[in-house]
């Protein structure tokens, strides 16, 4: 981000137009990042008996978590099935890419709309996936995870920025029409 900021200033590029490139680049990067979480076994979900449940091997983060929580008998080598929240997150990031690239980008009315549209989507999808996660990641009074708190803040910031940038674009259009 810092390098991009310096580059944008040095070359006097429109910041939010460049930011819109991030709006569809980031979800693709986040898709691959969550696939890495899947391969590592981190960022796992709550125990489930549903058809989507997956079993990670002994020694994996879900296995260690379940052993520590007393959900498994000492010496157990088979953990309980958990929600594959890494895959949920990956697929939601991929879906976000398709939404911002194929739906929002062609309808874009002002610079920054694609970037902040992605931020709004990310905030909502991350908040929802967090409801199913069970790994230790911090929380406020055990009620809401750190990521959910951040998601609420990012959603509010994205909403504010979209309204601000839209108003600036409309004001600019009105000035152009007046000339």
């Amino acid at each position: 981000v810092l390098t991009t900021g310096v580059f944008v200033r040095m070359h006097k590029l429109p910041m939010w137009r460049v930011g819109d490139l991030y709006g569809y680049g980031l979800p693709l990067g986040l898709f691959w990042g969550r696939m890495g979480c899947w391969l590592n076994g981190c960022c796992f979900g709550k125990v489930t008996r549903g058809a989507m449940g997956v079993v990670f091997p002994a020694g994996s983060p879900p296995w260690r978590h379940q052993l520590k929580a007393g959900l498994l008998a000492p010496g157990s080598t088979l953990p309980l099935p958990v929600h594959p929240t890494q895959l949920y997150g990956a697929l939601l990031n991929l879906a976000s890419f398709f939404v911002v690239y194929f739906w929002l980008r062609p309808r874009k009315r002002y610079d920054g709309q694609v970037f902040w549209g992605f931020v709004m989507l990310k905030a909502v999808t991350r908040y929802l996936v967090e409801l199913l996660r069970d790994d230790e990641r911090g929380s406020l009074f055990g009620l809401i995870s750190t990521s959910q708190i951040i998601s609420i803040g990012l959603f509010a910031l994205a909403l504010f920025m979209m309204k601000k940038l839209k108003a600036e674009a409309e004001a600019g259009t009105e000035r152009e029409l007046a000339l």
Side-chain angles (χ1 to χ4, degrees), residues 31 34-35 52 86-97:
F31 165 78
R34 285 294 165 203
M35 293 306 290
M52 292 296 293
Q86 315 93 324
L87 295 181
Y88 299 162
L91 292 174
L92 287 168
N93 283 313
L94 191 59
S96 294
F97 164 76

Side-chain angles (χ1 to χ4, degrees), residues 24-102:
Y24 49 85
L26 285 172
L28 287 178
L30 290 168
F31 165 78
W32 289 111
R34 285 294 165 203
M35 293 306 290
C37 292
W38 167 251
L39 295 173
N40 188 46
C42 62
C43 309
F44 55 89
K46 294 177 182 177
V47 172
T48 182
R49 303 263 186 248
M52 292 296 293
V54 295
V55 177
F56 286 90
S60 67
W63 176 83
R64 288 193 305 269
H65 176 75
Q66 292 171 9
L67 201 58
K68 183 179 173 184
L71 299 173
L72 301 176
S76 177
T77 58
L78 187 63
L80 300 170
V82 297
H83 281 282
T85 52
Q86 315 93 324
L87 295 181
Y88 299 162
L91 292 174
L92 287 168
N93 283 313
L94 191 59
S96 294
F97 164 76
F98 283 107
V99 168
V100 296
Y101 190 79
F102 292 108

Side-chain angles (χ1 to χ4, degrees), residues 134-169:
D134 201 27
D135 58 312
E136 294 180 29
R137 62 205 181 283
S139 66
L140 181 64
F141 307 118
L143 300 173
I144 186 168
S145 75
T146 305
S147 295
Q148 287 174 312
I149 294 167
I150 292 168
S151 293
I152 291 167
L154 283 175
F155 186 89
L157 176 62
L159 188 61
F160 169 79
M161 288 303 297
M162 289 180 85
K163 286 182 176 186
K164 179 181 184 280
L165 294 172
K166 181 180 178 186
E168 288 175 2

Side-chain angles (χ1 to χ4, degrees), residues 1-13:
V1 171
L2 181 61
T3 302
T4 300
V6 170
F7 184 86
V8 164
R9 285 200 184 267
M10 281 178 49
H11 296 281
K12 297 179 177 142
L13 298 173

